[in-house]
Amino acid sequence: MSETRYLEPGWFTRNIFNRSVRRLTRLGISVAGARELRVRGRKSGEWRSTPVNLLSAEGDRYLVSPRGATQWVRNIRSSGEGELRVGLRVEAFRVAELPDEAKVPVLREYLRTWGWEVGAFFEGVEKSATDDDLARIAPGFPVFRVLAAA
């Protein structure tokens, strides 16, 4: 696994699934805890949006990218901030990217919560995997702690 790992979404995911979840989220319907993530483009400065699963674990909140170094990951690394939206509720936030050695419990909880949806992106690693297995794949899965806006 590497930090450059990226699994591009297929046509169905891009044009049907993501758009449907985004529309429902904008209407205030959070599908399995989904949010609309909005991040400014690192080159254009324009708002970009995508549906994400916001993980709450042990009093903290996290954004995990099961597809690797996606565009939203690259943009949020550049800006360090974004917005989460459900309906009319918009929450501005900052992020702190977790180092690989801190990702294991977050990845396990993410798989426990959304493995049914994103398990295929984890290449056979499941919530019951050993810490060593999760540590081995950690570099390919960006994880961000969501912090209050400055």
Side-chain angles (χ1 to χ4, degrees), residues 66-80:
R67 292 181 177 273
T70 62
Q71 293 299 321
W72 76 257
V73 167
R74 294 172 188 159
N75 289 335
I76 212 162
R77 281 176 173 159
S78 176
S79 69

Side-chain angles (χ1 to χ4, degrees), residues 9-142:
W11 183 90
F12 178 82
T13 299
R14 201 173 45 252
N15 293 295
I16 306 296
F17 184 77
N18 283 355
R19 287 181 183 178
S20 297
V21 172
R22 190 178 309 133
R23 282 189 192 106
L24 288 170
T25 304
R26 285 181 180 171
L27 291 172
I29 302 166
S30 176
V31 179
R35 303 287 192 276
E36 178 185 26
L37 170 66
R38 293 173 27 99
V39 181
R40 293 225 182 246
R42 61 194 178 282
K43 295 177 184 174
S44 70
E46 295 178 16
W47 285 106
R48 305 291 184 200
S49 66
T50 191
V52 294
N53 294 320
L54 180 64
L55 177 67
S56 293
E58 298 182 16
D60 287 316
R61 297 181 312 154
Y62 300 94
L63 293 172
V64 176
S65 180
R67 292 181 177 273
T70 62
Q71 293 299 321
W72 76 257
V73 167
R74 294 172 188 159
N75 289 335
I76 212 162
R77 281 176 173 159
S78 176
S79 69
E81 61 187 11
E83 294 179 348
L84 290 168
R85 176 179 173 176
V86 176
L88 298 176
R89 293 183 311 261
V90 177
E91 174 192 0
F93 67 91
R94 296 176 298 117
V95 295
E97 188 165 7
L98 269 60
D100 293 339
E101 58 273 9
K103 293 178 185 178
V104 169
V106 177
L107 291 175
R108 185 179 312 286
E109 185 63 19
Y110 192 81
L111 282 166
R112 189 191 68 70
T113 305
W114 286 293
W116 57 273
E117 178 187 349
V118 300
F121 306 130
F122 283 80
E123 302 161 10
V125 175
E126 299 177 349
K127 64 183 176 189
S128 60
T130 66
D131 286 354
D132 287 343
D133 285 339
L134 289 168
R136 178 180 50 79
I137 68 164
F141 294 85

